[in-house]
Amino acid sequence: AASASVAAAAGGGGVGGVVGPSFEEKEEQVLKWLVERSGVAEAVERAQAGKKKAALPELLRIVEGILAEARVGDKAEDPPAEEATSAGSRKRRSEDGIGGVADDGRPSQRSRPSQPEEPTGQVAGGEDWLSQCQSALKVERVREKEKLDEKTQPEVQQARSSSSGVPLPLYWKLELPEVSQVLAQKGLLPEKFTPVEHPHATLLYMGGVGSEDQAAKKAGVSREQFKGMREALEGLDGQEFEVKMVRIVFEESVVSAVVSLPAFLPCINKVPHVTLGTRHGVPPRYANEVLEEMAAGRKEGLTVVELPAPRPLKGRVSLVYESAAGGDVDGA
């Protein structure tokens, strides 16, 4: 009897001294069953090949399907809780002699203290494994939602800003008020040309949009380049620098002055410049197209006047917002 008790204790409390499969064995059985499911083996192979990001969502979808099947099976196969409890209670009471009849024919008076039932290794292990799968599925859904929110947030902010009337940044510029003195000289601009009201050199065009991706696309640069230029200009906001006017370019619709900027000052335009004046109806940004064509070799229709000595000018970095920009944007 003592050896039987020791064997039962060593077996983890198995019924009648019978030792059931260990948790590791049950876990191995569950994993083997899972790998045999359609699609699981392929997903595992992709994960082992280094494609974990592609394999994980597929595995989670398969697990979700298994959980759904389990829930449907439980509802279809399980007896009503009250009936199952009643039948189980009667069976245990009969086996244990509780509330039954003793050997001498008298009602049994034996009773035993109520103890919580311990889940078997299979149930505990299965529930733990399913719980981990459910948790992983929730985490994956949260990540997908965060990615979607990250993509849509700039557009939402832009829509809110537009609807609420909050001005959006349009472009960074280097204000050059001294150019107005140059424009005051008679005969500098051809007849029927209108001088610009606020002379400046455009440094970075923001486009009046809330999304940095959209702004970079409008500016014609990568997001990383755009971000680097924007952060540099934010650090220089309000500071004054000396630039030099080196030449004036005349075209039938626009007159502009090419300027030399400090090397540390970012500029989105291939040819830094300030628009001096345009024909009626011609936008100041047309100067950017003309100068890019000149840099590419265009000579026809252009008159270039090199200054005998570069003229120094003082300029101040500032950000222009959409509502305050008017129509005076060159280099856009």
Side-chain angles (χ1 to χ4, degrees), residues 3-332:
S3 61
S5 299
V6 172
V15 179
V18 178
V19 181
S22 67
F23 174 76
E24 289 75 13
E25 292 172 333
K26 291 188 178 72
E27 185 177 41
E28 183 178 352
Q29 292 173 3
V30 170
L31 291 175
K32 182 179 179 182
W33 170 80
L34 180 61
V35 171
E36 291 175 352
R37 301 276 301 192
S38 176
V40 174
E42 292 82 355
V44 171
E45 289 177 1
R46 276 194 287 273
Q48 291 175 338
K51 300 179 180 179
K52 294 183 180 180
K53 290 185 178 180
L56 181 59
E58 186 172 346
L59 280 172
L60 293 177
R61 281 193 294 271
I62 295 172
V63 171
E64 189 177 31
I66 294 173
L67 295 175
E69 291 175 6
R71 286 192 290 269
V72 172
D74 289 344
K75 291 180 181 178
E77 297 175 7
D78 288 353
E82 184 177 351
E83 180 182 343
T85 303
S86 176
S89 298
R90 288 196 299 270
K91 182 177 180 181
R92 286 195 299 272
R93 289 169 65 85
S94 175
E95 291 173 350
D96 297 341
I98 300 174
V101 179
D103 293 338
D104 58 2
R106 292 177 299 168
S108 174
Q109 301 299 320
R110 286 190 301 153
S111 64
R112 65 180 183 183
S114 176
Q115 296 179 348
E117 295 184 5
E118 295 182 2
T120 64
Q122 183 175 1
V123 175
E127 288 181 351
D128 181 63
W129 177 76
L130 292 177
S131 297
Q132 291 178 7
C133 292
Q134 288 174 324
S135 299
L137 185 60
K138 289 179 181 178
V139 170
E140 183 64 21
R141 284 175 174 171
V142 170
R143 287 177 180 171
E144 290 179 357
K145 185 177 183 300
E146 289 176 349
K147 290 179 180 178
L148 180 62
D149 290 344
E150 184 179 349
K151 291 180 180 179
T152 58
Q153 190 64 22
E155 284 74 12
V156 172
Q157 290 178 348
Q158 180 184 353
R160 288 176 178 172
S161 297
S162 300
S163 61
S164 62
V166 177
L168 293 168
L170 189 58
Y171 61 94
W172 283 92
K173 69 175 182 178
L174 185 69
E175 299 177 61
L176 297 167
E178 293 177 72
V179 173
S180 297
Q181 299 174 11
V182 176
L183 294 175
Q185 299 176 18
K186 293 182 180 181
L188 177 63
L189 294 178
E191 293 182 7
K192 298 182 180 180
F193 268 59
T194 303
V196 296
E197 294 182 5
H198 306 288
H200 66 273
T202 299
L203 302 175
L204 180 63
Y205 186 62
M206 310 286 286
V209 295
S211 166
E212 198 162 74
D213 286 329
Q214 290 177 314
K217 186 176 180 180
K218 281 196 171 188
V221 295
S222 68
R223 181 177 181 179
E224 291 72 21
Q225 288 176 303
F226 182 89
K227 182 179 179 182
M229 295 177 72
R230 176 181 57 76
E231 291 177 349
L233 289 168
E234 287 174 354
L236 299 172
D237 188 17
Q239 297 187 37
E240 288 192 354
F241 304 100
E242 182 178 277
V243 301
K244 294 179 179 179
M245 183 187 297
V246 294
R247 67 183 60 91
I248 299 177
V249 180
F250 294 84
E251 201 256 1
E252 62 178 358
S253 298
V254 65
V255 177
S256 56
V258 178
V259 295
S260 175
L261 303 177
F264 57 82
L265 189 61
C267 182
I268 193 66
N269 292 326
K270 294 180 180 178
V271 183
H273 65 277
V274 52
T275 302
L276 302 179
T278 63
R279 281 188 180 275
H280 179 70
V282 177
R285 65 175 175 271
Y286 178 60
N288 194 44
E289 299 177 30
V290 171
L291 293 173
E292 285 189 5
E293 292 173 358
M294 184 184 73
R298 175 185 170 184
K299 294 182 180 179
E300 185 179 354
L302 300 179
T303 301
V304 181
V305 178
E306 298 285 345
L307 299 185
R311 174 164 181 169
L313 301 168
K314 288 289 186 179
R316 185 172 66 87
V317 177
S318 64
L319 177 60
V320 178
Y321 289 86
E322 194 173 32
S323 61
D328 195 18
V329 184
D330 64 32

